[in-house]
């Protein structure tokens, strides 16, 4: 690694939906030297493109991560440790705390990462959550579903990006999906998974997320989802198109959930459904939102949450908010088809420059899934998102129109075109 005299800022792995790059850029802008601790630097295209220093090690080994960070601290000095990946926020928090650096409560983060534990804590505190059961056997999943009442949602007790989340409408679907989930030994990162899953009541109503920082509501985001029985997020609106009373209720419920979980330091991303009886917490994520939401928040409100995360973790002053456009929209270009379709290899990416230059566009990028040469199979999760556009407008409708128009300019080519409609823009997530 090259020496510049600046203190290190360590990232334990990275997310793959765009803002991982922004985290490193924010650290550099603060005069720090970003270094990525990772098992596979090639997983993140921006690392080579931006010349980010890397240390290759087994990031599932918390002791190895700590020892490396301690070595960085003994050298040029270490300003902070964090992660933009859901899977490594606990390791980052524990490492930072052991080194005397600012961090959230690692035990609270760990409790939050286990969705069954999180749900129990929220329910005990009176925070509205779906009726649920945590089970480890297929028969128990079926029994829980019949007790709760179909339709139900089955999901892993840990994970991110809608991986493994599915609506099951009857006993047969519940049996099949419980068997599928309980038969998985590793997650999409190759890490071992729990032998338990969640069975929960399906909550009717639009979905939102509340973005908080240090227990304060920054904004409420409206979410667009793909077709059931899956829950792939196809777009986001900042701020959410909802009335003042609904926005206030969503924010208050999210803050109550953070208090029940012992969170409140730094960023959190709380997902909720607005049911007929009020907000229901689906899950609390003890981290900054992914899916380019921070980019849209910055464009709409002027708050740079990525830089605020870096500032907090480095013990530096938070940035002042800048001007915002008022409204921003994110729309994704999605791979289409089914999990049974043949694998396809990404052969071309076209139109990114045109999309980036389109009116009111502030960001246009492909995800890690659309790397040329990568083999792609539909997973009905965040991994199906191939590209995204973030655009602004004077209203939510205007921002959405700009985002959709630009996203349709992006074309992803495959060697084996099992789903050619994705090339024509029909895989663009809208309303």
């Amino acid at each position: 690694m090259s020496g510049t005299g600046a203190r290190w800022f360590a990232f334990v792995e990275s997310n793959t939906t765009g803002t991982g790059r922004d985290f490193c850029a924010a650290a550099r802008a603060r005069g720090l030297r970003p270094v990525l601790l990772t098992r596979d630097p090639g997983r993140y295209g921006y690392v080579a493109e931006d010349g980010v220093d890397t240390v290759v090690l087994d990031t599932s080994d918390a002791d190895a991560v700590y020892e490396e960070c301690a070595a960085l601290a003994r050298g040029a000095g270490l300003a902070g440790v964090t992660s933009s990946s859901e899977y490594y926020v606990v390791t980052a928090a524990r490492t930072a705390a052991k080194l005397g650096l600012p961090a959230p409560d690692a035990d609270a983060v760990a409790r939050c990462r286990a969705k069954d534990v999180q749900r129990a804590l929220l329910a005990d505190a009176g925070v509205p959550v779906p009726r649920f059961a945590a089970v480890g056997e297929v028969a128990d999943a079926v029994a829980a579903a019949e007790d709760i009442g179909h339709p139900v949602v089955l999901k892993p007790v840990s994970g991110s990006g809608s991986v493994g989340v599915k609506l099951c409408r009857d006993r047969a679907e519940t049996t099949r999906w419980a068997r599928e989930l309980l038969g998985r030994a590793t997650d999409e990162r190759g890490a071992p998974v729990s032998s338990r899953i969640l069975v929960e009541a399906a909550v009717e109503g639009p979905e939102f997320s509340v973005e908080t920082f240090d227990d304060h509501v920054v904004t409420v985001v409206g979410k667009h989802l793909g077709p059931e029985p899956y829950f792939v997020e196809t777009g986001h609106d900042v701020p959410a198109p909802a009335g003042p009373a609904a926005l206030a209720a969503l924010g208050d419920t999210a803050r109550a959930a953070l208090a029940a979980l012992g969170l409140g330091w730094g960023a959190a991303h709380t997902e909720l459904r607005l049911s007929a009886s009020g907000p229901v917490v689906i899950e609390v994520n003890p981290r900054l939102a992914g899916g380019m939401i921070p980019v849209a928040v910055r464009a709409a409100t002027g708050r740079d949450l990525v830089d605020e995360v870096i500032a907090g973790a480095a013990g530096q002053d938070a940035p002042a908010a800048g001007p915002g456009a008022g409204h921003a929209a994110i729309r994704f270009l999605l791979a289409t088809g089914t999990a049974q379709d043949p694998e396809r290899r990404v052969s071309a990416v076209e139109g990114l420059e045109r999309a980036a230059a389109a009116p009111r566009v502030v960001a246009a990028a492909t995800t890690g899934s659309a790397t040329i040469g990568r083999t792609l199979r539909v997973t009905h999760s965040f991994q199906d998102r191939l590209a995204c556009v973030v655009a602004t407008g004077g209203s939510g409708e205007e921002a959405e129109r700009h985002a959709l128009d630009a996203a349709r300019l992006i074309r992803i080519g495959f060697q084996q075109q099992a789903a050619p409609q994705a090339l024509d823009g029909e895989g663009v997530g809208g309303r």
Side-chain angles (χ1 to χ4, degrees), residues 78-271:
L78 182 64
V81 182
T82 193
S83 179
S84 61
S85 170
E86 171 85 11
Y87 301 92
Y88 298 93
V89 288
V90 176
T91 297
R94 292 202 190 285
T95 300
K98 288 175 68 175
L99 292 170
L101 298 170
D105 182 329
D107 290 337
V109 172
R111 290 193 297 268
C112 195
R113 280 280 294 132
K115 299 186 196 305
D116 52 342
V117 175
Q118 178 190 132
R119 278 287 175 76
L121 289 169
L122 293 177
D124 288 346
V127 177
V129 295
R131 189 179 174 195
F132 74 98
V135 301
E137 301 289 342
V138 173
D140 293 337
V142 173
E146 294 187 336
D147 181 49
I148 292 169
H150 286 96
V152 294
V153 177
L154 269 61
K155 63 176 65 171
V157 296
S158 64
S160 181
S162 302
V163 175
V165 183
K166 187 176 182 180
L167 181 74
C168 298
R169 301 179 180 89
D170 54 36
R171 181 186 182 97
E173 289 184 355
T174 297
T175 301
R176 285 194 296 270
W177 197 242
R179 184 175 293 118
E180 164 67 24
L181 291 181
L182 291 169
R184 296 180 180 181
T186 60
D187 62 22
E188 65 276 15
R189 293 257 183 172
V193 297
S194 171
S195 58
R196 291 165 65 80
I197 62 173
L198 275 183
V199 181
E200 64 185 41
V203 179
E204 292 290 334
E207 186 162 325
F208 300 87
S209 69
V210 176
E211 312 307 324
T212 54
F213 201 93
D214 287 352
D215 197 30
H216 298 291
V217 175
V218 176
T219 192
V220 180
V221 178
K223 292 182 173 291
H224 298 272
L225 302 179
E228 294 178 349
Y230 302 101
F231 296 86
V232 180
E233 295 175 357
T234 63
H236 308 287
D237 297 323
V238 182
L247 295 176
L250 289 161
D252 289 346
T253 303
R255 293 181 67 249
L258 295 180
L261 295 169
L263 297 171
W265 185 95
H269 169 68
T270 303
E271 298 177 343

Side-chain angles (χ1 to χ4, degrees), residues 318-357:
H327 294 269
I330 306 169
R331 294 298 182 268
F332 294 100
L333 185 71
L334 303 171
T336 57
T338 72
Q340 287 71 45
D341 288 337
E343 290 184 342
R344 295 162 283 164
R345 188 177 298 276
V346 178
S347 60
V349 177
E350 301 173 355
L352 268 181
E353 291 184 359
R354 291 178 62 205

